[in-house]
Amino acid sequence: MNKRVTIKDVAKKTGLSISTISLVINNKGNVSEETKQKVLQAIEELGYYPARSARSLASRKTGNIGFILTEEHFSRSEPFYTKIFLGTEFESRAYNYYVLLTTVPTQFSKSAIPRFLLENNVDGVIFAGKINQKYVKYVEELGLPYILVDYDLSGKKVSAVMIDNVGGGEMATDHLLKLGYRKVAFIGGDIEHPSIRGRFEGFKKALEKAGVECAVDMCVVEEPDTRVINGYRACEKLFTKLKPEAIFAANDAMAIGCLRFLKEKGIKVPDEVAVVGFDDIEACIHVEPRLTTVRVDKEELGVVAVKHLVEMIRKPNSGINRVYLPVKLVVRDSCGAKKKGFYVFDDSKIDESLI
Amino acid sequence: MNKRVTIKDVAKKTGLSISTISLVINNKGNVSEETKQKVLQAIEELGYYPARSARSLASRKTGNIGFILTEEHFSRSEPFYTKIFLGTEFESRAYNYYVLLTTVPTQFSKSAIPRFLLENNVDGVIFAGKINQKYVKYVEELGLPYILVDYDLSGKKVSAVMIDNVGGGEMATDHLLKLGYRKVAFIGGDIEHPSIRGRFEGFKKALEKAGVECAVDMCVVEEPDTRVINGYRACEKLFTKLKPEAIFAANDAMAIGCLRFLKEKGIKVPDEVAVVGFDDIEACIHVEPRLTTVRVDKEELGVVAVKHLVEMIRKPNSGINRVYLPVKLVVRDSCGAKKKGFYVFDDSKIDESLI
DNA sequence: GTGAAAGCGCTAACAG
DNA sequence: CTGTTAGCGCTTTCAC
């Protein structure tokens, strides 16, 4: 490694003491504007950057944020959580933090505790997606500030950045209702998950508003999780007894499962059944017909999480932060709106340019 | 923060000096098995973990690996580079490294130099995908070991983990040839990219082996990049003058573009034209028909990169590492092999279970 | 406003 | 084989 430029070099060059330099770097204390400028200039000229490790050691702050999610979530095919991470990575630059990402097994295990927690190498933690409560508890006991993203702990007041699931579910259902469908079904898995619950709630709310009865057998919510295959199965169950006009699936993966089942059975979408999903994952524009869905701004979830977490790090005991991020209906082909001649803004061009 | 357990506490508890503890931790020098055990036990009992920052400061090693890719690559819809990152993250645990990910603009800019480079906060760097040579040069001048993944610098002997593009291209083309197609076209964009070049090379090699002429107008390689839209355009160009029996696209995105074009024109796949892609991205199983392609093990690319990089960090001047990772043909529906009754291993179940 | 000095927790010679 | 000692580069009282 080349000889590193240190704070001493800056001190020497300016004829000041290292403590003054330090004060300038950290924008602390009372330093005259004049010396401040002198220092800043010297820093610039020398190309000086404070060493992380030295700062951490002396200040007892790491400058790192931990990002924890389950292996299951990260290895999911669609990059939902990846995008959240991207958002945090981007935002954390503004605050001069590094984001350390790690995955943990779904089941809590003492041996799986992230290294950065054991090594005291983060100032705060972001949990993305469903996570075993024990991990959260462990971080809490460490006294570290933390925030959940796209998840919530029932019966516990924690900081969290959430999607407006209820609003989104309502929006999707309203849309189907507006298109004239009356026999509208809901398909969901892992119904204990706060997000899925919320979407279901929105669904019921919309039906109630419209004065449409929400039949029990029009709601298939027993699937263990929300993967494609379970969307397929749920749809199969639904069609053994009933023939809905429209389906609102709790997420895109399940909606795609529905599409798969319907195609196999030769049931035309959207002509015979309309389908709407939730999340707006990439696959939506690859399936046939392209899936109408509720768009979640994943990056934004990450950005907001960092904003709040940094605030919590900077002023401890500032209380709990809870935010709901708005969602947006993206109308494509699976809901039939276009065929019915409803005017809709076509997002497809935007989608394609992203690829 | 709770009172941290330090090396001193371990020394006190064991009645040894801190340097002995340090030796044990780092598995260095000659420490008697007896004291070693004693130390290890004390560490266990106290729940001691060495502080990163202190270690870094004293040893002048950060314990971090930088992971650099362009914004363009990371925001790509399919999680190709994300998976490579996942691989690095996973593997780096084994070596007790943290991976710091950052994106940079495609164009080099002095102000976009990753913070971890400015702050001297990494021991080595992984570049993923196509990257402006200036970034590489910058790292080189810093004296840091680095390795490229899925990219290469022409005229420069650098360490790199590469996909066996030539082999894969050959494999895909062989497959089409074996199915009886003779008029086989190649579609590629960004032909200056080493990977695309390699795939094209493999294509030509296979044709030559089979004694099939490689007509110039059967190769559309002028597109600026390899996105879906350019696959669409390239396919359009192709079909204005010719009618190939099969198409090998340089990657899945372009292959999907072909599928799109062909569907619009009412040309049946695989009945009228067979299509094969490269990469095996998620979308392959969502498109209709499902895309036959060449599978690249993305995680493995990351794993291997870390292995080599760590080696380079540990023994500097150990020379250049260059590896080619094998690929595998995944036969689905777009190539017509199944319809033609060829026996093929069906990967679809595996795919679905991943979702 | 600025400087001197004492660490932060660890590693790395060098003694013994 | 183990201990002593001097830093690594910075932050942080506390004087002046």
Side-chain angles (χ1 to χ4, degrees), chain A residues 291-308:
Chain A
L291 193 65
T292 290
T293 189
V294 177
R295 177 175 293 173
V296 174
D297 188 342
K298 299 103 195 166
E299 281 91 347
E300 184 68 9
L301 284 169
V303 167
V304 173
V306 168
K307 278 205 171 89
H308 285 292

Side-chain angles (χ1 to χ4, degrees), chain B residues 138-159:
Chain B
Y138 185 89
V139 169
E140 193 160 278
E141 283 169 358
L142 245 31
L144 285 175
Y146 64 91
I147 190 165
L148 307 189
V149 180
D150 186 33
Y151 194 58
D152 200 5
L153 256 32
S154 58
K156 208 158 187 283
K157 272 285 167 209
V158 295
S159 293

Side-chain angles (χ1 to χ4, degrees), chain B residues 7 22 28 48 55 58:
Chain B
I7 198 169
S22 176
K28 276 187 188 172
Y48 166 71
R55 294 185 97 167

Side-chain angles (χ1 to χ4, degrees), chain A residues 100-245:
Chain A
L100 304 183
L101 180 148
T102 202
T103 57
V104 294
T106 305
Q107 284 303 313
F108 178 82
S109 127
K110 204 110 188 149
S111 64
I113 290 169
R115 276 181 305 150
F116 53 60
L117 294 180
L118 298 174
E119 295 184 339
N120 253 268
N121 200 21
V122 292
D123 299 332
V125 174
I126 293 172
F127 289 101
K130 191 175 181 178
I131 187 87
N132 189 305
Q133 190 148 357
K134 287 179 187 164
Y135 287 112
V136 180
K137 201 174 158 214
Y138 184 89
V139 168
E140 193 161 278
E141 284 169 357
L142 245 31
L144 285 175
Y146 65 90
I147 190 163
L148 307 189
V149 181
D150 187 32
Y151 194 58
D152 201 3
L153 257 30
S154 58
K156 206 159 191 278
K157 272 284 167 211
V158 295
S159 293
V161 182
M162 276 164 301
I163 298 165
D164 180 11
N165 290 300
V166 178
E170 203 176 337
M171 204 180 279
T173 315
D174 278 347
H175 178 66
L176 291 170
L177 258 14
K178 204 163 51 186
L179 293 175
Y181 306 114
R182 279 297 166 274
K183 293 164 69 180
V184 184
F186 177 84
I187 274 183
D190 194 11
I191 194 69
E192 291 307 314
H193 193 296
S195 293
I196 308 300
R197 266 194 121 65
R199 292 165 194 191
F200 191 26
E201 205 178 299
F203 168 78
K204 288 185 285 192
K205 218 164 148 183
L207 289 188
E208 197 179 335
K209 252 187 347 198
V212 176
E213 193 214 359
C214 175
V216 178
D217 40 5
M218 284 290 261
C219 303
V220 184
V221 294
E222 300 86 29
E223 311 307 314
D225 61 67
T226 55
R227 291 176 308 157
V228 173
I229 184 66
N230 289 319
Y232 181 99
R233 289 188 190 130
C235 196
E236 196 169 21
K237 282 182 198 165
L238 193 62
F239 274 79
T240 53
K241 6 184 189 170
L242 298 164
K243 196 167 173 343
E245 296 162 355

Side-chain angles (χ1 to χ4, degrees), chain A residues 1-2 4 49-57 60-61 64 71 74-79 82-83 85-86 89-90 92-93 95-104 114-123 141-144 225 227-229 253 256 260 263 282-283 285-288 290 299 352-355, chain B residues 1-2 4 49-57 60-61 64 71 74-79 82-83 85-86 89-90 92-93 95-104 114-123 141-144 225 227-229 253 256 260 263 282-283 285-288 290 299 352-355:
Chain A
M1 220 155 298
N2 300 332
R4 207 174 195 306
Y49 281 91
R52 272 268 156 173
S53 48
R55 294 188 96 166
S56 307
L57 185 56
R60 314 177 123 278
K61 297 228 160 288
N64 296 329
E71 290 160 2
F74 201 26
S75 50
R76 258 169 73 167
S77 54
E78 82 267 15
T82 307
K83 289 191 170 171
F85 172 71
L86 185 56
E89 217 292 313
F90 179 81
S92 64
R93 286 184 218 174
Y95 299 102
N96 201 25
Y97 274 93
Y98 287 108
V99 180
L100 304 183
L101 180 148
T102 202
T103 57
V104 294
R115 276 181 305 150
F116 53 60
L117 294 180
L118 298 174
E119 295 184 339
N120 253 268
N121 200 21
V122 292
D123 299 332
E141 284 169 357
L142 245 31
L144 285 175
D225 61 67
R227 291 176 308 157
V228 173
I229 184 66
I256 289 171
R260 199 107 91 195
K263 178 162 286 174
E282 297 305 326
I285 59 166
H286 296 305
V287 291
E288 168 92 12
R290 299 180 320 149
E299 281 91 347
E352 315 244 320
S353 72
L354 289 174
I355 297 177
Chain B
M1 221 154 299
N2 300 332
R4 209 176 193 305
Y49 282 91
R52 271 266 156 174
S53 47
R55 294 185 97 167
S56 306
L57 186 56
R60 314 178 122 277
K61 297 227 161 289
N64 297 329
E71 290 161 1
F74 202 25
S75 49
R76 259 169 74 166
S77 53
E78 82 268 17
T82 308
K83 288 190 170 172
F85 172 71
L86 185 57
E89 217 291 313
F90 179 80
S92 63
R93 287 184 219 172
Y95 299 102
N96 200 24
Y97 275 92
Y98 287 108
V99 180
L100 305 183
L101 182 149
T102 200
T103 57
V104 294
R115 273 181 307 149
F116 54 61
L117 295 180
L118 298 173
E119 294 183 340
N120 253 268
N121 200 22
V122 292
D123 298 333
E141 283 169 358
L142 245 31
L144 285 175
D225 62 67
R227 290 176 308 157
V228 173
I229 184 67
I256 289 171
R260 198 107 93 197
K263 178 162 283 171
E282 297 304 327
I285 60 167
H286 295 306
V287 290
E288 169 91 12
R290 299 181 320 149
E299 280 91 348
E352 316 244 320
S353 71
L354 289 174
I355 297 176

Side-chain angles (χ1 to χ4, degrees), chain A residues 6-28 31 35 38-40 42-43 48:
Chain A
T6 77
I7 199 169
K8 275 188 191 168
D9 299 317
V10 183
K12 204 167 289 172
K13 175 151 182 151
T14 54
L16 293 160
S17 74
I18 61 165
S19 28
T20 304
I21 312 298
S22 176
L23 289 175
V24 173
I25 293 168
N26 295 292
N27 213 8
K28 277 185 186 173
V31 185
T35 53
K38 197 161 66 174
V39 172
L40 257 22
I43 287 177
Y48 166 71

